[in-house]
Amino acid sequence: MTEPDGPIRVLLADDETMIRHGVRLILRHAEGIEVVAEAADGRQAVELAAVHHPDVALVDIRMPVCDGLAAIAPLLALDPAPRVVMLTTFGDDENVVRALREGAAGFLLKDEGPQELISAVRAAAAGDAVLSPGVTGAVISRMLGAREPAGAGGAAADERIARLTGRERDVLAALGEGLSNQEIAARLGIGTGTVKTHVGAILDKTGSASRVQAALLAHRTGLAS
C-alpha cells in the first residue's frame, strides 16, 4: 500500500449532479488533491477508474445501472486499485456494513463539512480507514453483532490472531481504536513506514480486506474495546 507521489487523484461517482459539483468545488481548492474523473453510476466509475487510475474513489452507495456496492469489487480488482470510500446518508447502516465487508476503505456522510471531506480523501490516500463519526457507532455495533464471516480460509478469529507477532497485535489493537498510521507510530515509538509494514502483514495474515475489517477483528477478539 503506497501513497501517491504527486497530487492525490480522485474519482467522484454519484448520480446527483449537484452532489458531484459540490464535492468537486471543495476538493478543487484543497492543496494536493485533483479530481480526475466523474461518473454518474457504478459501471461508469469502473470504466473511468481503469483509464484515469485514481488514488481514491468517492462512490455513492445508491446509483442507477450499477450501484456503489456492486462497483466495489471491480474497482478493487483494478491494477492499481483505488481506495474506495463510500458516500452515504444517515441511517443507511445496512448498506455501509455490506460495503465494508466488500473491502471499502470506509464511509463518509454526504452532509459532512468541507474539511471532513478533504481529511477523508487524504486519510484514504495514506492508507488509513475513513469512518464518519455520525454513523460509526451504529455500524460497528451492527457488524459486531453479525455472524463472523469465514475469511482467511475459514479460520476462526482467535486462530487468525494467533498468526500475528506481538508487535503486530499491538498495531492491530491500535487499529481497533481507529488510530491513524501516524498516531500508531507515535504511541509505539516506531516509524510510520514500519507501521505500514505491520498493517500489510496484519491484513495478509488475518485475511482482512481492509483496515476496517482488521479493526473489527480486534474488537471481536478483545484486543480493542
Side-chain angles (χ1 to χ4, degrees), residues 108 132 135 178 194 201 225:
L108 190 69
S132 185
V135 286
T194 302
S225 58

Side-chain angles (χ1 to χ4, degrees), residues 134-213:
V135 286
T136 295
V139 169
I140 294 297
S141 296
R142 184 185 288 265
M143 294 188 79
L144 288 174
R147 185 176 179 181
E148 171 80 7
D158 288 342
E159 181 182 337
R160 293 154 69 186
I161 291 295
R163 299 170 182 170
L164 305 179
T165 65
R167 179 58 88 185
E168 287 166 355
R169 293 189 190 193
D170 292 338
V171 172
L172 178 57
L175 286 178
E177 295 180 37
L179 300 186
S180 68
N181 286 347
Q182 288 185 331
E183 291 169 333
I184 296 173
R187 170 180 290 188
L188 300 180
I190 57 180
T192 55
T194 302
V195 173
K196 292 175 186 176
T197 299
H198 286 317
V199 170
I202 290 167
L203 298 184
D204 181 58
K205 291 180 180 181
T206 64
S208 301
S210 68
R211 290 170 67 105
V212 175
Q213 290 186 5

